[in-house]
Amino acid sequence: EPEVTQTPSHQVTQMGQEVILRCVPISNHLYFYWYRQILGQKVEFLVSFYNNEISEKSEIFDDQFSVERPDGSNFTLKIRSTKLEDSAMYFCASSEGQRSYNEQFFGPGTRLTVL
Amino acid sequence: RKEVEQDPGPFNVPEGATVAFNCTYSNSASQSFFWYRQDCRKEPKLLMSVYSSGNEDGRFTAQLNRASQYISLLIRDSKLSDSATYLCVVTISGGYNKLIFGAGTRLAVHP
């Protein structure tokens, strides 16, 4: 069964460093998303992406964040200068379409720890 | 006011019990409704969509009351493997299908 994959599974970084989280969406999917979940809190939407453009972003997704689809398979989330409060689980998701009946399939997540 | 509110639990029930979870949402423009399941430190996985007429999938029954902005999930004949956090999720009309999650209700099924 096709699945979304994410690397690394765990990333530890120093405050102020740049990190890039990588995702490989399901191959025939066209819509991509990043969510995050701070430990013990709810899953929060960060950004949606289609046709090499951001469709929607949340207030969390400030200038420190960027997304890119550098090739035909990868979808990346970059945090330019990490803060302690960026420590969270980051989930990538993809869907075939953008209708509500198009299920979003989630990757296993990358746990980011900022020291 | 939170966009999606759930009782955090935990609900501790014996195997075979019936358990019900409730959820309310604040945005009347909410368009689609789902229950997701999340195991500890894992990704959310879609359990079922929720339709206005109510729908059932095996031991799971979901109900939606748009007038009260209320969603429910009923689990019958609980299994040990049902132990997880159940997330109430909505999308907003015109919102590019972003998922808005509740904080989840934790269920622990014991022998």
Side-chain angles (χ1 to χ4, degrees):
Chain A
E1 185 178 318
E3 57 184 18
V4 177
T5 59
Q6 290 185 242
T7 54
S9 57
H10 191 191
Q11 173 92 46
V12 181
T13 190
Q14 295 290 326
M15 193 169 56
Q17 294 296 303
E18 175 183 286
V19 294
I20 298 176
L21 310 183
R22 291 183 167 79
C23 167
V24 179
I26 294 173
S27 61
N28 65 330
H29 286 186
L30 301 175
Y31 297 85
F32 314 115
Y33 312 83
W34 283 100
Y35 294 83
R36 79 169 187 190
Q37 186 175 30
I38 295 170
L39 188 63
Q41 297 187 24
K42 65 179 183 178
V43 177
E44 300 172 290
F45 169 79
L46 291 178
V47 66
S48 58
F49 189 87
Y50 167 71
N51 199 27
N52 282 319
E53 286 186 354
I54 290 174
S55 306
E56 187 176 6
K57 59 183 180 178
S58 70
E59 291 177 356
I60 303 167
F61 195 90
D62 61 22
D63 292 344
Q64 293 300 313
F65 290 87
S66 62
V67 288
E68 194 179 30
R69 188 153 163 82
D71 53 45
S73 58
N74 288 285
F75 179 50
T76 62
L77 174 69
K78 182 194 288 186
I79 309 175
R80 286 191 189 82
S81 178
T82 50
K83 303 188 271 287
L84 295 176
E85 55 265 37
D86 293 327
S87 294
M89 182 73 97
Y90 288 80
F91 294 109
C92 173
S94 69
S95 65
E96 242 178 352
Q98 208 170 42
R99 301 288 187 175
S100 57
Y101 54 76
N102 293 120
E103 181 180 350
Q104 290 183 32
F105 292 83
F106 283 76
T110 292
R111 179 166 299 282
L112 176 65
T113 302
V114 182
L115 303 175
Chain B
R1 185 180 170 188
K2 293 178 185 174
E3 288 185 283
V4 180
E5 288 207 61
Q6 297 182 249
D7 181 340
F11 284 58
N12 292 299
V13 303
E15 274 186 290
T18 295
V19 61
F21 303 137
N22 302 320
C23 167
T24 57
Y25 58 94
S26 61
N27 192 330
S28 58
S30 296
Q31 181 179 41
S32 300
F33 310 89
F34 309 92
W35 284 101
Y36 275 70
R37 171 195 168 124
Q38 186 175 30
D39 293 291
C40 189
R41 296 179 178 266
K42 300 283 191 183
E43 73 272 26
K45 289 187 177 174
L46 179 64
L47 180 66
M48 58 196 303
S49 302
V50 188
Y51 305 117
S52 296
S53 53
N55 50 299
E56 191 173 305
D57 183 2
R59 298 181 293 108
F60 300 86
T61 301
Q63 298 276 356
L64 166 64
N65 184 322
R66 284 186 185 270
S68 303
Q69 296 184 188
Y70 169 92
I71 307 160
S72 66
L73 176 69
L74 184 78
I75 305 176
R76 290 182 300 278
D77 189 22
S78 299
K79 312 287 184 198
L80 295 176
S81 56
D82 293 334
S83 297
T85 297
Y86 289 84
L87 310 176
C88 180
V89 183
V90 309
T91 64
I92 307 295
S93 174
Y96 292 99
N97 205 26
K98 75 176 182 187
L99 301 178
I100 301 170
F101 286 80
T105 299
R106 198 151 60 85
L107 172 66
V109 182
H110 58 82

